[in-house]
Amino acid sequence: MEKDKGKPGLVIACGGTGGHLFPGLAVAEAWTAAGGRVLLLVSEKPIDREASRKYDAYRFETIPALPKPATFSPRMLPFLVSVWKTIRTCRGLLRSFQADAVLGMGGFTSLPPVVAAKKAGIPAFVHDSNALPGKANRITSRWCDEVFLGMEAARSHFPGKTCVVTGTPVRRELTTLPERSAAAAKWGLDPHRPTLLVMGGSQGARKLNSLVAEAPLDAAVQVLHIAGPGDESRVQEEVGEREGYRIVGFCDDMASAYAVADAVVARSGASSLTELADLGLPSLLVPFPFAAEDHQTVNARVFEEAGAAILEQEKDLDGAKVASLVSRMLEPQERTRMAKAAKSLSIPDAAKRVCEAIGGLMEKGGSNR
Ligand SMILES: CC(=O)N[C@H]1[C@@H](OP(=O)(O)OP(=O)(O)OC[C@H]2O[C@@H](n3ccc(=O)[nH]c3=O)[C@H](O)[C@@H]2O)O[C@H](CO)[C@@H](O)[C@@H]1O
């Protein structure tokens, strides 16, 4: 590919899930706005295709998603062979794009591009958005010049590394929401009624969906329920015909969804939490129980301790309890108090901070490895 001379080229590895892709896209927006070029590396997973559809102005390349098997599993050898092959593919991509820096947004999909950057003598960075960083990022950080963090709580997990708390980048479209009335009209909802947004992360959440579907919510409360790809019709069956209850599969207009919400029931993935903090939305957080090392509980605890959220484990909930907690969050005084606490956790301009940190290191003369 022709290099657009003078424009610094950043490769962003952000495949595997919305929690990597969307912050990666936010960095792409900030980097190009500052005059740079970007190449986004995603996986072949359907969620990456679905979630990146709206962003076709950017150049995307796919590399394999690399789920790491257990250390002594017979699948370890094929995994290492795939990592090695993907590092070679990435070296070719970095060369043809004439990359000046590489940023991994998490997961083992970030490892090969970061290692390829080290081999090419290009500065490399990793961003971790969770309070308890993933194993992949802890390993990948060994090849990185600096580590960017979404939350201060993660710092102690990267001993000996230079860590910068940048916050987690949020897409530009979520920084200014549409009018509530326009958003309500889009979803066929009444802007004057209290509205609950239900979201299970970019890949949905079956059990959480059912808990809300069976909750005997106050009749005045409307619901916008993002069921996730593939779970829409099952949730619709569970809910039945209920006035003021909208169900969608994957939502490609989160700005309109947030604009109509007064309170949220959600998993506690880091990007969702960052958005709730930025927008000052009270939440009932139900961590995905099988998330690696239970990191979603650690994330949710940060919000619970700040008074921004109610934290409940899925196993301790039933429909009736969900309904009572939702009523509590929607009570005006409680809602205001929680909204303020959520806002206090917001780190604005995270994408800009990431870009400035990368640019700063590039100016200092690139990789210090
Ligand atoms: C199950 C699991 O292990 N999930 C992890 C995954 O994020 P996962 O993708 O599950 O969840 P996150 O909350 O981090 O991100 C969801 C993102 O998708 C967007 N969205 C969601 C639904 C939808 O229909 N449309 C849409 O655009 C949200 O606005 C948000 O930006 O990586 C995160 C970052 O390491 C972790 O914190 C999560 O714990």
mmCIF file of all heavy atoms in Angstrom, residues 217-262:
data_model
loop_
_atom_site.group_PDB
_atom_site.id
_atom_site.type_symbol
_atom_site.label_atom_id
_atom_site.label_comp_id
_atom_site.label_asym_id
_atom_site.label_seq_id
_atom_site.Cartn_x
_atom_site.Cartn_y
_atom_site.Cartn_z
ATOM 1 N N LEU A 217 -42.309 -5.957 36.370
ATOM 2 C CA LEU A 217 -41.966 -4.530 36.495
ATOM 3 C C LEU A 217 -43.224 -3.690 36.671
ATOM 4 O O LEU A 217 -44.300 -4.063 36.179
ATOM 5 C CB LEU A 217 -41.213 -4.063 35.238
ATOM 6 C CG LEU A 217 -39.873 -4.737 34.949
ATOM 7 C CD1 LEU A 217 -39.348 -4.318 33.578
ATOM 8 C CD2 LEU A 217 -38.843 -4.413 36.030
ATOM 9 N N ASP A 218 -43.063 -2.560 37.329
ATOM 10 C CA ASP A 218 -44.164 -1.600 37.455
ATOM 11 C C ASP A 218 -44.739 -1.284 36.067
ATOM 12 O O ASP A 218 -43.974 -1.098 35.117
ATOM 13 C CB ASP A 218 -43.567 -0.328 38.099
ATOM 14 C CG ASP A 218 -44.624 0.678 38.457
ATOM 15 O OD1 ASP A 218 -45.349 1.133 37.541
ATOM 16 O OD2 ASP A 218 -44.715 1.001 39.639
ATOM 17 N N ALA A 219 -46.049 -1.203 35.978
ATOM 18 C CA ALA A 219 -46.698 -1.020 34.662
ATOM 19 C C ALA A 219 -46.281 0.280 33.984
ATOM 20 O O ALA A 219 -46.331 0.398 32.754
ATOM 21 C CB ALA A 219 -48.202 -1.065 34.836
ATOM 22 N N ALA A 220 -45.845 1.277 34.788
ATOM 23 C CA ALA A 220 -45.461 2.565 34.178
ATOM 24 C C ALA A 220 -44.111 2.472 33.464
ATOM 25 O O ALA A 220 -43.792 3.321 32.619
ATOM 26 C CB ALA A 220 -45.376 3.622 35.265
ATOM 27 N N VAL A 221 -43.329 1.455 33.797
ATOM 28 C CA VAL A 221 -41.950 1.379 33.274
ATOM 29 C C VAL A 221 -41.928 0.781 31.866
ATOM 30 O O VAL A 221 -42.497 -0.281 31.610
ATOM 31 C CB VAL A 221 -41.059 0.524 34.221
ATOM 32 C CG1 VAL A 221 -39.665 0.328 33.635
ATOM 33 C CG2 VAL A 221 -40.981 1.166 35.600
ATOM 34 N N GLN A 222 -41.247 1.485 30.969
ATOM 35 C CA GLN A 222 -41.038 0.953 29.606
ATOM 36 C C GLN A 222 -39.686 0.262 29.565
ATOM 37 O O GLN A 222 -38.789 0.592 30.353
ATOM 38 C CB GLN A 222 -40.970 2.089 28.599
ATOM 39 C CG GLN A 222 -42.143 2.987 28.538
ATOM 40 C CD GLN A 222 -41.921 4.051 27.489
ATOM 41 O OE1 GLN A 222 -42.674 4.122 26.546
ATOM 42 N NE2 GLN A 222 -40.912 4.879 27.642
ATOM 43 N N VAL A 223 -39.530 -0.629 28.596
ATOM 44 C CA VAL A 223 -38.261 -1.344 28.502
ATOM 45 C C VAL A 223 -37.741 -1.332 27.061
ATOM 46 O O VAL A 223 -38.504 -1.591 26.122
ATOM 47 C CB VAL A 223 -38.415 -2.816 28.969
ATOM 48 C CG1 VAL A 223 -37.082 -3.552 28.887
ATOM 49 C CG2 VAL A 223 -38.976 -2.891 30.379
ATOM 50 N N LEU A 224 -36.461 -1.012 26.929
ATOM 51 C CA LEU A 224 -35.770 -1.252 25.657
ATOM 52 C C LEU A 224 -34.771 -2.362 25.958
ATOM 53 O O LEU A 224 -33.825 -2.173 26.728
ATOM 54 C CB LEU A 224 -35.068 0.022 25.173
ATOM 55 C CG LEU A 224 -34.199 -0.150 23.928
ATOM 56 C CD1 LEU A 224 -35.010 -0.709 22.750
ATOM 57 C CD2 LEU A 224 -33.558 1.176 23.529
ATOM 58 N N HIS A 225 -35.013 -3.528 25.390
ATOM 59 C CA HIS A 225 -34.242 -4.717 25.761
ATOM 60 C C HIS A 225 -33.353 -5.141 24.582
ATOM 61 O O HIS A 225 -33.853 -5.617 23.562
ATOM 62 C CB HIS A 225 -35.233 -5.839 26.127
ATOM 63 C CG HIS A 225 -34.594 -7.008 26.783
ATOM 64 N ND1 HIS A 225 -35.187 -7.736 27.775
ATOM 65 C CD2 HIS A 225 -33.391 -7.600 26.597
ATOM 66 C CE1 HIS A 225 -34.393 -8.718 28.171
ATOM 67 N NE2 HIS A 225 -33.295 -8.656 27.451
ATOM 68 N N ILE A 226 -32.044 -4.960 24.746
ATOM 69 C CA ILE A 226 -31.101 -5.406 23.717
ATOM 70 C C ILE A 226 -30.738 -6.853 24.072
ATOM 71 O O ILE A 226 -29.974 -7.104 25.014
ATOM 72 C CB ILE A 226 -29.852 -4.508 23.688
ATOM 73 C CG1 ILE A 226 -30.261 -3.059 23.416
ATOM 74 C CG2 ILE A 226 -28.872 -4.999 22.626
ATOM 75 C CD1 ILE A 226 -29.113 -2.060 23.509
ATOM 76 N N ALA A 227 -31.333 -7.766 23.337
ATOM 77 C CA ALA A 227 -31.218 -9.186 23.710
ATOM 78 C C ALA A 227 -29.919 -9.810 23.209
ATOM 79 O O ALA A 227 -29.498 -10.856 23.695
ATOM 80 C CB ALA A 227 -32.407 -9.952 23.160
ATOM 81 N N GLY A 228 -29.289 -9.182 22.220
ATOM 82 C CA GLY A 228 -28.068 -9.756 21.644
ATOM 83 C C GLY A 228 -28.403 -10.592 20.425
ATOM 84 O O GLY A 228 -29.516 -11.098 20.292
ATOM 85 N N PRO A 229 -27.405 -10.753 19.540
ATOM 86 C CA PRO A 229 -27.661 -11.481 18.297
ATOM 87 C C PRO A 229 -28.103 -12.920 18.599
ATOM 88 O O PRO A 229 -27.493 -13.600 19.402
ATOM 89 C CB PRO A 229 -26.296 -11.479 17.581
ATOM 90 C CG PRO A 229 -25.375 -10.650 18.407
ATOM 91 C CD PRO A 229 -26.019 -10.324 19.705
ATOM 92 N N GLY A 230 -29.213 -13.328 17.997
ATOM 93 C CA GLY A 230 -29.634 -14.728 18.130
ATOM 94 C C GLY A 230 -30.605 -15.003 19.275
ATOM 95 O O GLY A 230 -31.180 -16.075 19.343
ATOM 96 N N ASP A 231 -30.831 -14.039 20.185
ATOM 97 C CA ASP A 231 -31.697 -14.336 21.334
ATOM 98 C C ASP A 231 -33.005 -13.544 21.304
ATOM 99 O O ASP A 231 -33.830 -13.651 22.209
ATOM 100 C CB ASP A 231 -30.945 -14.055 22.644
ATOM 101 C CG ASP A 231 -31.432 -14.950 23.784
ATOM 102 O OD1 ASP A 231 -32.060 -16.000 23.484
ATOM 103 O OD2 ASP A 231 -31.213 -14.610 24.954
ATOM 104 N N GLU A 232 -33.140 -12.773 20.235
ATOM 105 C CA GLU A 232 -34.269 -11.857 20.124
ATOM 106 C C GLU A 232 -35.628 -12.572 20.186
ATOM 107 O O GLU A 232 -36.498 -12.212 20.968
ATOM 108 C CB GLU A 232 -34.108 -11.191 18.761
ATOM 109 C CG GLU A 232 -34.691 -9.870 18.599
ATOM 110 C CD GLU A 232 -34.371 -9.372 17.189
ATOM 111 O OE1 GLU A 232 -33.465 -9.920 16.521
ATOM 112 O OE2 GLU A 232 -35.053 -8.433 16.768
ATOM 113 N N SER A 233 -35.785 -13.638 19.363
ATOM 114 C CA SER A 233 -37.119 -14.248 19.285
ATOM 115 C C SER A 233 -37.431 -15.043 20.548
ATOM 116 O O SER A 233 -38.586 -15.090 20.982
ATOM 117 C CB SER A 233 -37.261 -15.109 18.029
ATOM 118 O OG SER A 233 -36.149 -15.925 17.903
ATOM 119 N N ARG A 234 -36.411 -15.644 21.166
ATOM 120 C CA ARG A 234 -36.653 -16.372 22.420
ATOM 121 C C ARG A 234 -37.147 -15.393 23.505
ATOM 122 O O ARG A 234 -38.113 -15.664 24.211
ATOM 123 C CB ARG A 234 -35.358 -17.055 22.882
ATOM 124 C CG ARG A 234 -35.525 -18.043 24.032
ATOM 125 C CD ARG A 234 -34.171 -18.504 24.538
ATOM 126 N NE ARG A 234 -33.404 -17.422 25.152
ATOM 127 C CZ ARG A 234 -33.480 -17.081 26.435
ATOM 128 N NH1 ARG A 234 -34.256 -17.757 27.251
ATOM 129 N NH2 ARG A 234 -32.769 -16.078 26.909
ATOM 130 N N VAL A 235 -36.478 -14.227 23.592
ATOM 131 C CA VAL A 235 -36.878 -13.238 24.599
ATOM 132 C C VAL A 235 -38.288 -12.729 24.293
ATOM 133 O O VAL A 235 -39.120 -12.588 25.197
ATOM 134 C CB VAL A 235 -35.859 -12.068 24.678
ATOM 135 C CG1 VAL A 235 -36.315 -10.993 25.654
ATOM 136 C CG2 VAL A 235 -34.493 -12.577 25.081
ATOM 137 N N GLN A 236 -38.556 -12.529 23.006
ATOM 138 C CA GLN A 236 -39.897 -12.056 22.619
ATOM 139 C C GLN A 236 -40.970 -13.054 23.080
ATOM 140 O O GLN A 236 -42.015 -12.666 23.616
ATOM 141 C CB GLN A 236 -39.963 -11.865 21.099
ATOM 142 C CG GLN A 236 -41.270 -11.267 20.586
ATOM 143 C CD GLN A 236 -41.471 -9.816 21.051
ATOM 144 O OE1 GLN A 236 -40.763 -8.919 20.620
ATOM 145 N NE2 GLN A 236 -42.421 -9.605 21.952
ATOM 146 N N GLU A 237 -40.675 -14.332 22.935
ATOM 147 C CA GLU A 237 -41.620 -15.363 23.384
ATOM 148 C C GLU A 237 -41.826 -15.306 24.891
ATOM 149 O O GLU A 237 -42.944 -15.420 25.385
ATOM 150 C CB GLU A 237 -41.065 -16.750 23.029
ATOM 151 C CG GLU A 237 -41.893 -17.463 21.981
ATOM 152 C CD GLU A 237 -41.189 -18.707 21.499
ATOM 153 O OE1 GLU A 237 -40.906 -19.582 22.349
ATOM 154 O OE2 GLU A 237 -40.915 -18.782 20.292
ATOM 155 N N GLU A 238 -40.725 -15.113 25.624
ATOM 156 C CA GLU A 238 -40.831 -15.055 27.091
ATOM 157 C C GLU A 238 -41.600 -13.817 27.552
ATOM 158 O O GLU A 238 -42.337 -13.870 28.517
ATOM 159 C CB GLU A 238 -39.431 -15.049 27.730
ATOM 160 C CG GLU A 238 -38.766 -16.406 27.645
ATOM 161 C CD GLU A 238 -37.422 -16.456 28.392
ATOM 162 O OE1 GLU A 238 -36.932 -15.399 28.851
ATOM 163 O OE2 GLU A 238 -36.884 -17.550 28.500
ATOM 164 N N VAL A 239 -41.394 -12.715 26.855
ATOM 165 C CA VAL A 239 -42.059 -11.464 27.254
ATOM 166 C C VAL A 239 -43.528 -11.478 26.842
ATOM 167 O O VAL A 239 -44.397 -10.984 27.566
ATOM 168 C CB VAL A 239 -41.329 -10.241 26.628
ATOM 169 C CG1 VAL A 239 -42.117 -8.955 26.820
ATOM 170 C CG2 VAL A 239 -39.941 -10.105 27.219
ATOM 171 N N GLY A 240 -43.805 -12.072 25.691
ATOM 172 C CA GLY A 240 -45.167 -12.078 25.166
ATOM 173 C C GLY A 240 -45.538 -10.693 24.663
ATOM 174 O O GLY A 240 -44.669 -9.856 24.416
ATOM 175 N N GLU A 241 -46.830 -10.440 24.549
ATOM 176 C CA GLU A 241 -47.286 -9.128 24.079
ATOM 177 C C GLU A 241 -47.358 -8.184 25.279
ATOM 178 O O GLU A 241 -48.248 -8.320 26.111
ATOM 179 C CB GLU A 241 -48.667 -9.250 23.424
ATOM 180 C CG GLU A 241 -48.634 -9.707 21.964
ATOM 181 C CD GLU A 241 -47.606 -8.960 21.118
ATOM 182 O OE1 GLU A 241 -47.621 -7.708 21.138
ATOM 183 O OE2 GLU A 241 -46.781 -9.634 20.460
ATOM 184 N N ARG A 242 -46.381 -7.293 25.429
ATOM 185 C CA ARG A 242 -46.417 -6.387 26.579
ATOM 186 C C ARG A 242 -46.272 -4.968 26.069
ATOM 187 O O ARG A 242 -45.347 -4.686 25.300
ATOM 188 C CB ARG A 242 -45.269 -6.745 27.532
ATOM 189 C CG ARG A 242 -45.659 -6.549 28.970
ATOM 190 C CD ARG A 242 -44.975 -7.555 29.855
ATOM 191 N NE ARG A 242 -43.806 -6.999 30.493
ATOM 192 C CZ ARG A 242 -42.867 -7.743 31.109
ATOM 193 N NH1 ARG A 242 -42.955 -9.055 31.107
ATOM 194 N NH2 ARG A 242 -41.856 -7.174 31.683
ATOM 195 N N GLU A 243 -47.167 -4.123 26.478
ATOM 196 C CA GLU A 243 -47.169 -2.728 26.020
ATOM 197 C C GLU A 243 -45.887 -2.047 26.524
ATOM 198 O O GLU A 243 -45.448 -2.272 27.653
ATOM 199 C CB GLU A 243 -48.438 -2.066 26.598
ATOM 200 C CG GLU A 243 -48.745 -0.680 26.086
ATOM 201 C CD GLU A 243 -48.080 0.389 26.933
ATOM 202 O OE1 GLU A 243 -47.929 0.164 28.160
ATOM 203 O OE2 GLU A 243 -47.676 1.410 26.355
ATOM 204 N N GLY A 244 -45.257 -1.223 25.670
ATOM 205 C CA GLY A 244 -44.070 -0.471 26.092
ATOM 206 C C GLY A 244 -42.842 -1.343 26.317
ATOM 207 O O GLY A 244 -41.992 -0.996 27.136
ATOM 208 N N TYR A 245 -42.750 -2.473 25.628
ATOM 209 C CA TYR A 245 -41.570 -3.349 25.790
ATOM 210 C C TYR A 245 -40.994 -3.612 24.394
ATOM 211 O O TYR A 245 -41.611 -4.276 23.570
ATOM 212 C CB TYR A 245 -41.990 -4.671 26.443
ATOM 213 C CG TYR A 245 -40.846 -5.409 27.133
ATOM 214 C CD1 TYR A 245 -40.851 -5.603 28.513
ATOM 215 C CD2 TYR A 245 -39.759 -5.908 26.410
ATOM 216 C CE1 TYR A 245 -39.815 -6.277 29.156
ATOM 217 C CE2 TYR A 245 -38.723 -6.570 27.049
ATOM 218 C CZ TYR A 245 -38.753 -6.759 28.419
ATOM 219 O OH TYR A 245 -37.722 -7.423 29.049
ATOM 220 N N ARG A 246 -39.806 -3.057 24.102
ATOM 221 C CA ARG A 246 -39.191 -3.223 22.774
ATOM 222 C C ARG A 246 -37.989 -4.146 22.890
ATOM 223 O O ARG A 246 -37.155 -3.979 23.790
ATOM 224 C CB ARG A 246 -38.701 -1.881 22.223
ATOM 225 C CG ARG A 246 -39.771 -0.870 21.995
ATOM 226 C CD ARG A 246 -40.606 -1.135 20.729
ATOM 227 N NE ARG A 246 -41.798 -0.304 20.736
ATOM 228 C CZ ARG A 246 -42.982 -0.661 21.251
ATOM 229 N NH1 ARG A 246 -43.139 -1.847 21.776
ATOM 230 N NH2 ARG A 246 -44.018 0.175 21.221
ATOM 231 N N ILE A 247 -37.890 -5.070 21.949
ATOM 232 C CA ILE A 247 -36.766 -6.014 21.973
ATOM 233 C C ILE A 247 -35.986 -5.897 20.666
ATOM 234 O O ILE A 247 -36.587 -5.902 19.587
ATOM 235 C CB ILE A 247 -37.290 -7.459 22.134
ATOM 236 C CG1 ILE A 247 -38.070 -7.576 23.443
ATOM 237 C CG2 ILE A 247 -36.141 -8.475 22.117
ATOM 238 C CD1 ILE A 247 -38.886 -8.836 23.582
ATOM 239 N N VAL A 248 -34.666 -5.767 20.777
ATOM 240 C CA VAL A 248 -33.827 -5.771 19.562
ATOM 241 C C VAL A 248 -32.723 -6.813 19.751
ATOM 242 O O VAL A 248 -32.414 -7.212 20.875
ATOM 243 C CB VAL A 248 -33.201 -4.386 19.252
ATOM 244 C CG1 VAL A 248 -34.270 -3.371 18.923
ATOM 245 C CG2 VAL A 248 -32.346 -3.879 20.398
ATOM 246 N N GLY A 249 -32.129 -7.243 18.638
ATOM 247 C CA GLY A 249 -31.032 -8.218 18.706
ATOM 248 C C GLY A 249 -29.735 -7.475 18.983
ATOM 249 O O GLY A 249 -29.466 -7.053 20.102
ATOM 250 N N PHE A 250 -28.926 -7.252 17.957
ATOM 251 C CA PHE A 250 -27.743 -6.397 18.119
ATOM 252 C C PHE A 250 -28.180 -4.969 17.858
ATOM 253 O O PHE A 250 -28.929 -4.694 16.918
ATOM 254 C CB PHE A 250 -26.630 -6.819 17.146
ATOM 255 C CG PHE A 250 -25.418 -5.950 17.263
ATOM 256 C CD1 PHE A 250 -24.510 -6.141 18.290
ATOM 257 C CD2 PHE A 250 -25.193 -4.913 16.369
ATOM 258 C CE1 PHE A 250 -23.402 -5.311 18.433
ATOM 259 C CE2 PHE A 250 -24.091 -4.083 16.490
ATOM 260 C CZ PHE A 250 -23.200 -4.299 17.525
ATOM 261 N N CYS A 251 -27.730 -4.028 18.668
ATOM 262 C CA CYS A 251 -28.130 -2.632 18.502
ATOM 263 C C CYS A 251 -26.991 -1.854 17.853
ATOM 264 O O CYS A 251 -25.902 -1.762 18.438
ATOM 265 C CB CYS A 251 -28.469 -2.027 19.865
ATOM 266 S SG CYS A 251 -28.803 -0.272 19.798
ATOM 267 N N ASP A 252 -27.232 -1.298 16.651
ATOM 268 C CA ASP A 252 -26.152 -0.532 16.020
ATOM 269 C C ASP A 252 -26.347 0.971 16.227
ATOM 270 O O ASP A 252 -25.731 1.782 15.550
ATOM 271 C CB ASP A 252 -26.007 -0.901 14.532
ATOM 272 C CG ASP A 252 -27.190 -0.431 13.723
ATOM 273 O OD1 ASP A 252 -28.156 0.091 14.332
ATOM 274 O OD2 ASP A 252 -27.172 -0.586 12.493
ATOM 275 N N ASP A 253 -27.223 1.343 17.151
ATOM 276 C CA ASP A 253 -27.424 2.759 17.462
ATOM 277 C C ASP A 253 -27.529 2.912 18.983
ATOM 278 O O ASP A 253 -28.583 3.228 19.530
ATOM 279 C CB ASP A 253 -28.700 3.265 16.762
ATOM 280 C CG ASP A 253 -28.909 4.756 16.961
ATOM 281 O OD1 ASP A 253 -28.020 5.416 17.543
ATOM 282 O OD2 ASP A 253 -29.975 5.271 16.554
ATOM 283 N N MET A 254 -26.392 2.663 19.656
ATOM 284 C CA MET A 254 -26.385 2.730 21.116
ATOM 285 C C MET A 254 -26.684 4.149 21.610
ATOM 286 O O MET A 254 -27.216 4.333 22.698
ATOM 287 C CB MET A 254 -25.037 2.248 21.674
ATOM 288 C CG MET A 254 -24.806 0.755 21.569
ATOM 289 S SD MET A 254 -26.085 -0.256 22.361
ATOM 290 C CE MET A 254 -25.927 0.184 24.078
ATOM 291 N N ALA A 255 -26.363 5.151 20.789
ATOM 292 C CA ALA A 255 -26.620 6.537 21.205
ATOM 293 C C ALA A 255 -28.120 6.730 21.455
ATOM 294 O O ALA A 255 -28.521 7.288 22.484
ATOM 295 C CB ALA A 255 -26.116 7.502 20.144
ATOM 296 N N SER A 256 -28.961 6.243 20.541
ATOM 297 C CA SER A 256 -30.416 6.375 20.726
ATOM 298 C C SER A 256 -30.909 5.516 21.881
ATOM 299 O O SER A 256 -31.884 5.873 22.546
ATOM 300 C CB SER A 256 -31.165 5.966 19.460
ATOM 301 O OG SER A 256 -30.866 6.840 18.429
ATOM 302 N N ALA A 257 -30.240 4.383 22.103
ATOM 303 C CA ALA A 257 -30.659 3.517 23.215
ATOM 304 C C ALA A 257 -30.367 4.205 24.550
ATOM 305 O O ALA A 257 -31.224 4.271 25.436
ATOM 306 C CB ALA A 257 -29.934 2.173 23.130
ATOM 307 N N TYR A 258 -29.159 4.765 24.685
ATOM 308 C CA TYR A 258 -28.810 5.442 25.936
ATOM 309 C C TYR A 258 -29.654 6.710 26.130
ATOM 310 O O TYR A 258 -29.993 7.072 27.255
ATOM 311 C CB TYR A 258 -27.327 5.823 25.942
ATOM 312 C CG TYR A 258 -26.382 4.668 26.183
ATOM 313 C CD1 TYR A 258 -25.299 4.420 25.323
ATOM 314 C CD2 TYR A 258 -26.528 3.831 27.281
ATOM 315 C CE1 TYR A 258 -24.406 3.370 25.551
ATOM 316 C CE2 TYR A 258 -25.644 2.776 27.516
ATOM 317 C CZ TYR A 258 -24.587 2.555 26.655
ATOM 318 O OH TYR A 258 -23.720 1.523 26.885
ATOM 319 N N ALA A 259 -29.983 7.389 25.017
ATOM 320 C CA ALA A 259 -30.688 8.680 25.125
ATOM 321 C C ALA A 259 -32.065 8.529 25.770
ATOM 322 O O ALA A 259 -32.582 9.474 26.362
ATOM 323 C CB ALA A 259 -30.813 9.315 23.750
ATOM 324 N N VAL A 260 -32.644 7.338 25.663
ATOM 325 C CA VAL A 260 -34.000 7.156 26.180
ATOM 326 C C VAL A 260 -33.984 6.521 27.581
ATOM 327 O O VAL A 260 -35.016 6.438 28.246
ATOM 328 C CB VAL A 260 -34.800 6.321 25.137
ATOM 329 C CG1 VAL A 260 -34.536 4.847 25.269
ATOM 330 C CG2 VAL A 260 -36.258 6.630 25.165
ATOM 331 N N ALA A 261 -32.778 6.113 28.044
ATOM 332 C CA ALA A 261 -32.695 5.326 29.287
ATOM 333 C C ALA A 261 -32.629 6.184 30.549
ATOM 334 O O ALA A 261 -31.931 7.192 30.594
ATOM 335 C CB ALA A 261 -31.468 4.419 29.230
ATOM 336 N N ASP A 262 -33.362 5.741 31.587
ATOM 337 C CA ASP A 262 -33.250 6.365 32.913
ATOM 338 C C ASP A 262 -32.435 5.487 33.841
ATOM 339 O O ASP A 262 -31.868 5.966 34.817
ATOM 340 C CB ASP A 262 -34.643 6.569 33.516
ATOM 341 C CG ASP A 262 -35.463 7.517 32.677
ATOM 342 O OD1 ASP A 262 -35.049 8.685 32.537
ATOM 343 O OD2 ASP A 262 -36.505 7.094 32.119
#
